[in-house]
Amino acid sequence: MSETQQPDAPAATPEAWGEPRTRELTWYDPLQIAAQVPRMSGIEFLGRMRDGVIPPPPIAAHFGLDIDVVEPGRVTFTCTPDESGYNPIGTVHGGVVCTLLDTVCGCAMQSVLPQGKGYTSVEIKVSYVKAVRGGGGPLTAEGTVVKAGSRVGFTEGVVRDAAGAVVATASSTLLLFDLPKA
């Protein structure tokens, strides 16, 4: 037995791991989606996505993100993590929650941008305050604009579990820029 192998460790074979699982993802051409952004205001674009007129970006399929509310300076998304987002101890990986926060922080900023303006994240600070357990139901995230300047914007986000308890918060800095003409 090698020094790193534990005496009671199960055999590292697929049979010992249980039945394999799969997940199928469907998305649409992200460049066609992006080409529509310069043609309308941010809130109009997000509203059309929420209403199913414009398809969601591929990241939404990966994480099961759905837009619920689109208002100037405020958006909410829901996400029900499945086991493909669990870490080895059976909780939802922090990266899933961070992705949800980055999404609502960015889209909140997008909701106040005029036609021809875009954004990208410069930094995000996430504070995890409660573990998200597997099978815990939907998460709801809200993003709000703190300040939208001419070149930099600031947003905040909060994620709540199905019982309404805060599981994570974020503050984000975003770079604002002119989009290429369509």
Side-chain angles (χ1 to χ4, degrees):
M1 181 178 329
S2 75
E3 290 180 31
T4 58
Q5 186 178 4
Q6 299 295 320
D8 296 331
T13 64
E15 295 83 28
W17 300 342
E19 289 296 314
R21 293 164 170 88
T22 62
R23 181 172 172 212
E24 183 175 316
L25 300 175
T26 303
W27 66 88
Y28 301 90
D29 183 350
L31 297 180
Q32 287 186 16
I33 299 166
Q36 296 182 54
V37 176
R39 300 181 189 148
M40 60 194 85
S41 69
I43 196 161
E44 182 181 3
F45 180 81
L46 290 169
R48 287 183 181 193
M49 191 176 298
R50 175 201 59 214
D51 297 341
V53 176
I54 295 171
I59 192 81
H62 282 282
F63 289 95
L65 306 177
D66 292 306
I67 303 175
D68 289 327
V69 175
V70 176
E71 299 172 350
R74 180 178 171 267
V75 298
T76 65
F77 277 66
T78 57
C79 169
T80 303
D82 66 20
E83 66 182 12
S84 69
Y86 295 174
N87 62 28
I89 62 169
T91 61
V92 174
H93 191 282
V96 173
V97 176
C98 183
T99 298
L100 182 56
L101 283 163
D102 189 48
T103 299
V104 296
C105 285
C107 288
M109 184 57 64
Q110 186 173 10
S111 75
V112 299
L113 294 180
Q115 181 178 349
K117 283 291 212 181
Y119 71 91
T120 191
S121 299
V122 173
E123 67 178 1
I124 186 168
K125 180 195 181 299
V126 176
S127 296
Y128 300 97
V129 296
K130 181 181 176 191
V132 179
R133 305 262 181 228
L139 301 174
T140 301
E142 178 180 32
T144 55
V145 173
V146 174
K147 179 164 177 50
S150 60
R151 295 182 4 196
V152 177
F154 303 92
T155 58
E156 294 177 339
V158 62
V159 176
R160 296 178 188 279
D161 64 15
V166 173
V167 298
T169 62
S171 60
S172 180
T173 305
L174 301 118
L175 176 67
L176 309 179
F177 55 87
D178 293 330
L179 294 170
K181 303 288 185 213

